[in-house]
Structure formats: structure tokens, C-alpha cells
């Protein structure tokens, strides 16, 4: 274990920035999100929930995929990607880190999505353990320990220091890069912080949510549950919950005509939208109830059934905070799964 | 050329056949004149006109055809309208093949096969039927029941009349919805015809067509004593990626693009009713 004094963090960022890109939570226009670091930027490491999750780094909100040049009958296809420079994603919380693992299972499954893979391989992830979980947090329900060592490097902020531990080869490489700024540490402060955080976690309001009913064998029973109607009634179909969600992965592929050929790009899409499944002869999900059900069934039943029981929700609580209608996955779990005594 | 799952290849249209008032069959090869890629019967491909859009179509030609691929395309919206306006020599983009194929090298082998199609539903079946004809000795008797709105809406009628009807150990039954001048064949809907024919329930059946036809035909087959685990069909849901990533064609724990489009009826029974 190493440590670095908080007042020296800017030196650490500058050092990383010399040879790699650095994305870190930065406050801009009153909102904290992952942005490119630069001298004088307002870094806000402690912000637990950036508005957008870091999934943006691997699966951007919009991304050019290819260009077409047409001349007469001829079509030429030009790969629109450029080599991604290695970068460090700094300050990722445990829930968001686990969400990247959820996305990996989709995008890196055969046939590999090379657009995602290119960005993913260029990244070194530095996580920051949580010491002040918020009331909307419920990662522990999904077996995530927000104090634990995830990512290539794990850091803990405690007192006047940032503590640092490398977990992987990539992490070791980053550690040697910034080695001159780090000093050895005995790890006691981190252990003490972990103990204290665990006590807070146990008392969080959503800590007792019961997932035991969300199993593949209950798929049809849950799908047909009469409660969906009432739960979804207020849903506006705005898609906010899907855009802020670190595990939502649905996308659209579209063409855009420019003066200089056609650009085919992909962009986030939402299963909450009525045209998501619209076809020439009809729509397989006609009502907002069906679309609402799809989002939560996918996270709690369909995805786990395809991925050895791994849920596609990490309890980050973003949808809890952001839904204009106060609907969210916590209400769904409470209604259909209940709480442990 | 880049080998990527979401990046297509350029194809050239070398032949266009007008099958019906709203269905045309397009023959496509690569810019080098060779077939773009290999596939198995039942698999699909994404065909696109850059700047207009991309759509999923069954590859209707048989894999045993080593020269080109064919798509039978019904005009019904933005992209298909532009495709219908193409002329020979035009270029399109194609990516694939996607999805699971019919088990022609598995469960179908040695079986008597019953193919039931309605309208454009013949597209995926044509690939299987011609594959089975090519390896005729690997399969038992073949029965084909094909129906359309009118005699002008029967896709690939030339091939059916000149080739399929003359194939040994093969029976072909055609039907149209309403009486029509110049038609002396059977008149009536497919599900009713299937029941009338009193087909042998030991056959392995494949159903493709509009959802309503599938529903009633399946009910008829079950009445005749067919076993659901030996009845196959294909699903059609909106698709974008074709590889189980964009989330669009998700039903229950399946992605139709990747786990389908071919499904056994018993598999569909386990899925939530949302397709
Ligand atoms: C697995 C599969 C196999 C298919 N095989 C064939 C075939 O062999 N021949 C054939 O004529 N058609 C086939 N279709 C249907 C074909 O994809 C649609 O007719 C086509 O996408 C319509 O596009 P459009 O832009 O002309 O229609 P529009 O209504 O303008 O399309 C709007 C959007 O909806 C999508 N869409 C519309 N209808 C469908 C549909 N039925 N299925 C999926 N997406 C749709 C389009 O891709 C487009 O993104 C198949 C569909 C699937 C999923
Ligand atoms: S659940 Fe809430 S955030 Fe999601 S689409 Fe409905 S109203 Fe919008
Ligand atoms: S469903 Fe809600 S709580 Fe779960 S990961 Fe997505 S935004 Fe976070
Ligand atoms: S078409 Fe994208 S998941 Fe099936």
C-alpha cells in the first residue's frame, strides 16, 4: 500500500497526464461528470454519483462507426475509428466499476464489439472506495462491497491522504509511472476506514431488499405479475432512467447525410421509448407498462438468466434520484421481492 | 476489407426478379463477383442503403448455391421502398450471416418434412427447401403447403412449378385466399387447408408466415396430433445490431437475432408472450 498527500494530487494528475489521457470527475456548470483533466479544472473525487456514469468512456452517447462515400453506383466504406490513446479513468466507484463488468459481458461476448473493446483495452481504471455512502445507495444488495479493492488500482481517501493499491499489471504499470510521488504506507488507516464504512452500509435504508424471488425459474410468473400495471402507471417514458444507468446498454444505429458522404453512427437508445420495437406491421410492446416491465425484467431476470445469475443493476441509485416520477428499481424490488426481515 | 461484425461489405445487385406486386427478389454478389459469405438455411443478413437505413432479411437462396445470395424483399416502408427502386448494377451493403439456422444437419436428418408458408414467409423456407432438395437422400418425404392472398402474390412460383413440383417424393400444395380468374387450384386459408389435407403427424413441421397464420396453423397441427417439439417457426422482431448487443430484439432471456430467429414451438412456450 502507498499513499500521497491530498495537496499533492494535482501533481499526480499532471504526471499521469504527461503520458496518458486522464478522465476524472470534474465539476462543470454545476454538474459533476467524467471529463478530461487539465490544470485548473475543479476535480471532485468525492462526488459519489456523477450524473452520467463512466460507461460513456467505453460506450459513448454517440459514436461514429463508419463513413460511406457514394459515387454513381459505387459505395466505399471507410472505418471511422481512430486509435484510442491509453487513458486513465480515475475515481470510479465500486458500483460503476461493477457496471463495467456487466457491460463487458455484452460487448466483449462473441462476436466482440471492437468499438467498445478498443476503448476498454486502452483504459486503466483507478477506483475510489466509498466512505460516505448516500441514502439512495444499495450496492450491497447486489453483493458489491464499496470498500473493497476493485479495478486496476484502488484508492481510498482518508484524512489528509489518498491511499493507493495496485491490483493488476496495468495497475502496477501506472504505479511505477507515478512512483516518485507515492510513499509507502502500512494500510492501517484504510482498514479503519473500511470498518467504519461497513457500519454505515448496514444501516442504509435499502440494505434489506430481497432479491431471492428474481430467478430464471420465476421468469414467467414475474412477467405476469399484476403489480406491473400500477407500478408503471406514472411512467412518462422519458428514458432518463436508462440514460443515467451505468448498465443500460441499448443502442440505435443511424445514418446521417453530410455534404461529404454518409456517416453511420450509433447512439444510446431506450427500451422505454414507444418506437424502440416498432415495426412496419405492428409493435411487440404497445403499452408503457410493457416497456417499463421490460427494463426491470431485463435487469433482474433476463440478464441474470443469460449471465450465470449476475444482475444487471449495481444499486448505484441514479434512477432513484433522477426519475421525475419517483419510480425506480427499488420500488420494483420492494413490490415484487420484498425486504428481508 | 475490414472484417467487423457491425461494418458491412459492399454488394452488387446482379439480378432483380419481380415476384409479386410488392415482392422482388434481389441477387447479390461481392464487388469481386464472388459470393459475399456462407450461411445456413434460416440465417439472415442486414442489407442497407447508406443514408437510408439497414434492414434484416432472410437469405432466401440455398447455401448450396456457391455463386450468389438472394433476398426476397417485400415493399413496406422507407428502406424497402428504396431497395425496390434499385436497378441491376446498383450497390448495397450487406453484413451477416446472423442467427441460428434450421437444424438441417441435426434433427431434420432422415425425417419426413412438412413446410408451411404464408406470403413472404416463403423466403426463409425457400433456403431450407432447396438445401433439402440438394441433399435429397438425407431426408424423407417432403410436403410443402404454400398460400398467399392471390395467385399473383405467390413468391417464386416459377421455381415451385418447374422444379419443386417435379421433385421425387415431394408433394406441393398451393392455395390462395379467394377465388380468382385463371386459378383452378385450391382456394382457402392455409390453416384450414392444412387440416383438410389430413397430414401425417409424424412429420417434422416448419411454419413461416404472418403471426396470425402461424397461430391458427399450429392449433390445426396440434389437433392432427403433431408434437410441438417437432414444429419449428421463425420470429420477426425489430433488429439493429444482429448480434445480441443493442437490446432491441430481446424477449425474455433470448435475443431473437442471436438465439433465433428459428425457434422450436416448445421453446416459444417458455418465453413471455411478447413477440
Ligand atoms: C429475422 C428477420 C427476417 C426477415 N426476413 C425478411 C424477408 O426475408 N423478406 C422481407 O421482405 N422482410 C423480412 N423481414 C422484415 C424486414 O426487416 C422489414 O420488412 C423491414 O425492416 C422494413 O423496413 P422499412 O424501412 O422498409 O420499413 P419501415 O416501416 O419504414 O421501417 C422503420 C423501421 O422499422 C424496422 N422494421 C419495420 N418492419 C420491420 C419488421 N417486420 N421486422 C423488423 N424490423 C422492421 C426497420 O428496420 C426500420 O428500422 C425480416 C425481419 C426480421 C427481423
Ligand atoms: S421510470 Fe421514470 S425516468 Fe424511467 S422512463 Fe419512466 S418516468 Fe422516465
Ligand atoms: S437500475 Fe438504477 S440503481 Fe440499478 S444500476 Fe441502473 S441506475 Fe443504478
Ligand atoms: S438486433 Fe440487437 S440485440 Fe438483437
Amino acid at each position: 500500500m502507498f499513499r500521497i498527500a491530498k495537496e499533492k494530487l494535482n501533481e499526480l494528475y499532471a504526471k499521469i497526464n504527461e503520458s496518458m489521457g486522464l478522465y476524472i470527475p470534474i465539476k462543470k456548470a454545476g454538474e459533476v461528470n467524467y471529463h478530461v483533466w487539465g490544470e485548473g479544472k475543479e476535480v471532485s473525487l468525492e462526488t459519489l454519483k456523477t450524473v452520467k456514469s463512466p460507461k460513456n468512456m467505453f460506450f459513448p452517447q454517440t459514436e461514429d462507426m463508419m463513413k460511406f462515400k457514394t459515387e454513381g453506383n459505387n459505395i466505399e466504406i471507410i472505418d471511422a475509428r481512430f486509435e484510442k490513446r491509453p487513458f486513465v479513468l480515475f475515481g470510479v466507484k465500486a458500483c460503476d466499476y461493477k457496471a463495467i463488468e456487466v457491460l463487458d459481458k455484452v460487448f466483449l461476448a462473441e462476436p466482440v464489439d471492437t468499438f467498445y473493446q478498443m476503448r476498454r483495452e486502452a483504459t486503466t481504471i483507478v477506483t475510489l472506495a466509498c466512505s460516505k455512502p448516500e441514502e439512495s445507495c444499495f450496492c450491497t444488495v447486489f453483493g458489491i462491497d464499496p470498500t473493497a479493492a476493485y479495478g486496476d488500482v484502488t484508492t481510498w481517501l482518508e484524512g489528509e491522504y489518498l491511499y493507493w493499491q495496485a491490483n493488476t499489471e496495468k495497475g502496477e504499470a501506472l504505479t511505477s509511472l507515478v512512483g516518485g510521488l507515492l510513499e509507502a504506507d502500512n494500510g492501517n488507516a484504510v482498514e479503519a476506514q473500511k470498518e467504519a464504512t461497513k457500519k454505515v452500509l448496514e444501516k442504509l435504508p435499502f440494505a434489506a431488499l430481497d432479491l431471492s424471488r428474481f430467478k430464471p425459474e420465476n421468469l414467467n410468473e414475474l412477467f405476469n405479475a399484476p403489480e406491473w400495471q400500477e407500478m408503471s402507471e406514472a411512467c412518462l417514458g422519458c428514458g432518463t432512467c436508462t440514460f443515467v444507468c451505468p448498465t443500460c446498454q441499448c443502442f440505435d444505429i443511424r445514418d446521417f447525410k453530410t455534404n461529404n458522404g454518409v456517416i453511420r453512427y450509433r447512439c444510446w437508445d431506450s427500451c422505454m421509448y414507444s418506437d424502440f420495437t416498432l415495426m412496419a406491421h405492428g409493435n411487440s410492446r404497445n403499452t408503457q407498462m410493457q416497456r417499463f416491465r421490460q427494463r426491470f425484467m431485463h435487469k433482474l431476470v433476463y440478464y441474470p438468466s443469460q449471465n450465470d445469475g449476475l444482475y444487471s443493476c449495481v444499486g448505484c441509485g441514479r434512477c432513484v434520484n433522477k426519475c421525475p416520477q419517483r419510480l425506480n428499481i427499488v420500488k420494483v424490488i420492494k413490490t415484487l421481492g420484498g425486504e428481508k426481515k | 476489407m475490414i472484417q467487423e461484425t457491425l461494418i458491412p461489405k459492399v454488394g452488387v445487385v446482379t439480378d432483380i426478379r419481380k415476384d409479386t406486386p410488392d415482392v422482388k427478389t434481389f441477387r447479390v454478389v461481392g464487388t469481386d463477383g464472388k459470393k459475399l459469405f456462407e450461411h445456413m438455411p434460416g440465417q439472415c443478413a442486414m442489407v442497407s442503403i447508406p443514408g437510408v437505413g439497414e434492414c434484416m432479411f432472410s437469405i432466401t437462396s440455398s447455401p448450396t448455391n456457391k455463386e450468389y445470395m438472394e433476398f426476397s424483399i417485400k415493399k413496406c416502408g422507407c428502406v424497402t421502398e428504396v431497395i425496390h427502386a434499385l436497378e441491376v448494377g446498383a450497390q448495397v451493403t450487406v453484413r451477416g450471416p446472423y442467427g441460428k439456422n434450421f437444424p438441417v444437419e441435426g434433427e431434420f436428418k432422415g425425417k419426413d418434412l412438412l413446410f408451411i408458408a404464408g406470403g413472404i414467409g416463403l423466403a426463409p423456407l425457400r433456403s431450407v427447401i432447396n438445401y433439402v432438395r440438394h441433399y435429397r437422400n438425407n431426408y424423407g418425404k417432403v410436403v410443402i403447403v404454400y398460400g398467399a392472398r392471390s395467385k399473383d402474390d405467390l413468391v417464386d412460383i416459377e421455381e415451385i412449378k418447374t422444379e419443386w413440383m417435379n421433385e421425387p417424393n415431394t408433394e406441393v400444395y398451393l392455395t390462395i385466399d379467394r377465388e380468382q380468374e385463371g386459378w383452378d387450384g385450391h382456394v382457402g386459408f392455409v390453416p384450414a387447408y392444412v387440416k383438410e389435407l389430413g397430414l401425417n403427424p409424424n412429420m417434422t413441421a416448419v411454419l413461416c408466415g404472418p403471426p396470425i397464420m402461424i397461430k391458427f396453423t399450429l392449433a390445426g397441427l396440434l389437433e392432427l396430433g403433431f408434437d410441438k417439439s417437432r414444429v419449428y417457426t421463425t420470429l420477426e422482431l425489430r433488429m439493429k445490431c444482429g448480434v445480441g448487443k443493442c437490446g432491441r430484439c430481446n424477449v425474455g432471456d433470448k435475443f431473437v437475432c442471436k438465439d433465433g430467429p428459428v425457434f422450436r414451438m416448445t421453446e416459444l412456450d417458455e418465453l413471455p408472450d411478447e413477440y
Side-chain angles (χ1 to χ4, degrees):
Chain A
M1 175 104 30
F2 298 98
R3 69 177 191 183
I4 176 171
K6 269 183 177 172
E7 72 254 17
K8 281 179 141 183
L9 281 176
N10 258 327
E11 283 174 52
L12 178 84
Y13 303 150
K15 180 75 194 158
I16 297 173
N17 195 49
E18 274 173 21
S19 48
M20 300 165 92
L22 173 61
Y23 290 86
I24 194 162
I26 286 175
K27 194 164 181 184
K28 250 192 198 175
E31 264 187 8
V32 179
N33 276 312
Y34 287 82
H35 291 292
V36 178
W37 180 83
E39 209 62 68
K41 296 262 172 85
E42 193 180 339
V43 174
S44 177
L45 268 188
E46 295 92 332
T47 297
L48 279 192
K49 297 178 219 285
T50 49
V51 177
K52 277 192 204 167
S53 82
K55 80 174 171 189
N56 208 24
M57 297 295 131
F58 314 109
F59 173 44
Q61 193 160 0
T62 63
E63 165 178 39
D64 287 356
M65 303 175 81
M66 66 202 89
K67 268 186 169 176
F68 299 101
K69 293 238 154 129
T70 44
E71 221 188 285
N73 267 339
N74 285 351
I75 300 177
E76 188 195 348
I77 303 175
I78 304 157
D79 196 335
R81 283 172 292 186
F82 45 90
E83 191 72 35
K84 189 76 195 164
R85 174 173 168 237
F87 66 95
V88 173
L89 188 57
F90 203 112
V92 178
K93 312 302 174 290
C95 55
D96 286 346
Y97 178 76
K98 284 293 178 182
I100 297 169
E101 289 186 355
V102 169
L103 294 180
D104 282 352
K105 287 198 188 287
V106 176
F107 289 108
L108 300 181
E110 283 299 328
V112 171
D113 185 304
T114 47
F115 293 86
Y116 178 92
Q117 184 188 38
M118 195 182 63
R119 291 190 154 84
R120 189 70 178 84
E121 284 179 353
T123 327
T124 303
I125 299 180
V126 177
T127 62
L128 173 66
C130 301
S131 61
K132 297 188 185 67
E134 293 171 5
E135 292 213 322
S136 58
C137 294
F138 56 108
C139 60
T140 53
V141 170
F142 297 98
I144 299 169
D145 173 3
T147 68
Y150 296 121
D152 297 307
V153 170
T154 311
T155 63
W156 291 263
L157 263 182
E158 180 61 42
E160 291 312 304
Y161 292 94
L162 178 85
Y163 295 85
W164 177 288
Q165 175 188 310
N167 307 316
T168 66
E169 247 174 63
K170 269 186 181 173
E172 296 287 355
L174 184 66
T175 306
S176 5
L177 180 75
V178 298
L181 294 164
L182 302 174
E183 54 183 353
D185 179 77
N186 60 16
N188 292 344
V190 165
E191 283 315 310
Q193 188 201 65
K194 283 185 181 176
E195 287 312 308
T197 310
K198 281 184 181 149
K199 296 213 174 78
V200 182
L201 289 168
E202 282 165 18
K203 298 200 189 90
L204 288 179
F206 304 146
L209 291 175
D210 188 356
L211 293 173
S212 55
R213 195 173 166 209
F214 299 97
K215 288 202 231 84
E217 55 266 38
N218 296 337
L219 191 151
N220 277 301
E221 182 196 313
L222 289 164
F223 181 89
N224 292 315
E227 290 91 340
W228 289 112
Q229 196 58 47
E230 208 184 315
M231 281 194 284
S232 63
E233 225 127 70
C235 178
L236 306 168
C238 65
T240 303
C241 52
T242 55
F243 294 135
V244 298
C245 179
T247 64
C248 270
Q249 112 253 339
C250 291
F251 62 84
D252 195 2
I253 298 175
R254 283 170 177 264
D255 287 2
F256 175 70
K257 282 187 188 163
T258 71
N259 291 335
N260 188 19
V262 170
I263 292 175
R264 179 161 294 167
Y265 65 98
R266 75 163 156 200
C267 55
W268 294 351
D269 204 343
S270 175
C271 60
M272 285 292 197
Y273 291 159
S274 57
D275 63 356
F276 189 69
T277 46
L278 182 68
M279 293 179 286
H281 60 265
N283 197 338
S284 52
R285 291 198 279 271
N286 276 310
T287 64
Q288 196 57 28
M289 182 281 273
Q290 291 175 307
R291 301 188 272 269
F292 182 93
R293 177 173 61 187
Q294 168 67 19
R295 175 160 195 270
F296 298 107
M297 283 296 284
H298 183 254
K299 297 218 174 292
L300 297 170
V301 188
Y302 305 159
Y303 183 97
S305 147
Q306 296 157 333
N307 293 286
D308 307 317
L310 181 70
Y311 291 101
S312 164
C313 170
V314 291
C316 76
R318 282 188 181 84
C319 61
V320 176
N321 290 339
K322 293 290 176 194
C323 172
Q325 297 293 75
R326 308 194 145 267
L327 304 171
N328 56 60
I329 198 159
V330 170
K331 287 190 177 161
V332 171
I333 300 173
K334 270 192 189 161
T335 307
L336 296 173
E339 287 184 272
K340 288 183 210 152
K341 295 285 162 318
Chain B
M1 195 60 233
I2 325 145
Q3 278 292 341
E4 277 294 343
T5 158
L6 295 174
I7 300 184
K9 297 178 177 186
V10 177
V12 185
V13 176
T14 56
D15 183 62
I16 302 173
R17 227 170 33 239
K18 189 165 167 92
D19 286 300
T20 79
D22 57 7
V23 178
K24 283 184 178 176
T25 298
F26 298 82
R27 192 170 286 182
V28 179
V29 298
T31 43
D32 55 1
K34 296 200 181 104
K35 206 171 149 177
L36 280 165
F37 47 79
E38 299 300 324
H39 78 284
M40 286 299 277
Q43 285 191 299
C44 305
M46 275 285 190
V47 178
S48 140
I49 309 276
V52 184
E54 228 176 3
C55 295
M56 192 66 100
F57 299 106
S58 305
I59 305 168
T60 188
S61 51
S62 163
T64 53
N65 181 325
K66 295 296 172 200
E67 274 143 46
Y68 53 79
M69 269 191 270
E70 281 184 342
F71 301 97
S72 288
I73 298 178
K74 183 170 169 158
K75 179 157 85 172
C76 62
C78 314
V79 181
T80 48
E81 203 138 306
V82 177
I83 294 178
H84 265 244
L86 295 178
E87 288 173 13
V88 168
Q91 294 194 347
V92 293
T93 73
V94 187
R95 58 185 175 94
Y98 296 126
K100 259 183 14 197
N101 52 277
F102 287 104
V104 283
E105 290 301 319
E107 287 94 324
F108 283 12
K109 270 204 159 162
K111 302 276 164 50
D112 292 338
L113 300 172
L114 167 63
F115 297 102
I116 306 176
I120 187 72
L122 190 71
L125 287 192
R126 182 172 164 241
S127 181
V128 200
I129 292 170
N130 283 332
Y131 185 92
V132 166
R133 288 177 53 220
H134 191 263
Y135 298 106
R136 195 64 193 86
N137 295 333
N138 289 345
Y139 308 91
K141 182 175 170 180
V142 170
V143 178
I144 300 164
V145 183
Y146 179 39
R149 272 175 302 178
S150 75
K151 73 177 171 51
D152 311 306
D153 289 291
L154 290 161
V155 181
D156 283 306
I157 192 67
E158 280 313 308
E159 181 173 300
I160 295 173
K161 282 188 172 156
T162 56
E163 299 184 27
W164 298 3
M165 287 187 163
N166 298 318
E167 188 74 31
N169 202 14
T170 302
E171 290 166 18
V172 181
Y173 300 97
L174 301 177
T175 182
I176 61 173
D177 291 356
R178 259 166 241 94
E179 295 281 358
Q180 192 180 7
E181 211 170 317
W183 177 260
D184 53 9
H186 189 272
V187 175
F189 295 118
V190 169
Y193 195 26
V194 164
K195 272 173 80 179
E196 259 170 58
L197 287 168
L199 300 158
N200 176 354
N202 292 323
M203 284 189 283
T204 296
V206 187
L207 297 177
C208 284
I212 189 86
M213 179 213 102
I214 294 187
K215 188 170 161 217
F216 287 111
T217 310
L218 177 67
L221 290 179
L222 296 182
E223 262 177 58
L224 291 171
F226 277 78
D227 181 342
K228 259 193 178 179
S229 67
R230 279 188 281 109
V231 180
Y232 295 78
T233 189
T234 59
L235 287 191
E236 202 177 298
L237 284 188
R238 181 132 175 217
M239 295 182 182
K240 279 284 172 180
C241 68
V243 287
K245 302 194 195 289
C246 76
R248 208 165 285 260
C249 68
N250 176 230
V251 188
D253 56 3
K254 300 273 188 284
F255 288 106
V256 175
C257 64
K258 187 174 104 206
D259 304 310
V262 173
F263 288 99
R264 204 185 286 208
M265 284 297 176
T266 39
E267 290 176 291
L268 292 190
D269 279 350
E270 288 167 19
L271 286 186
D273 187 12
E274 204 177 42
Y275 45 82

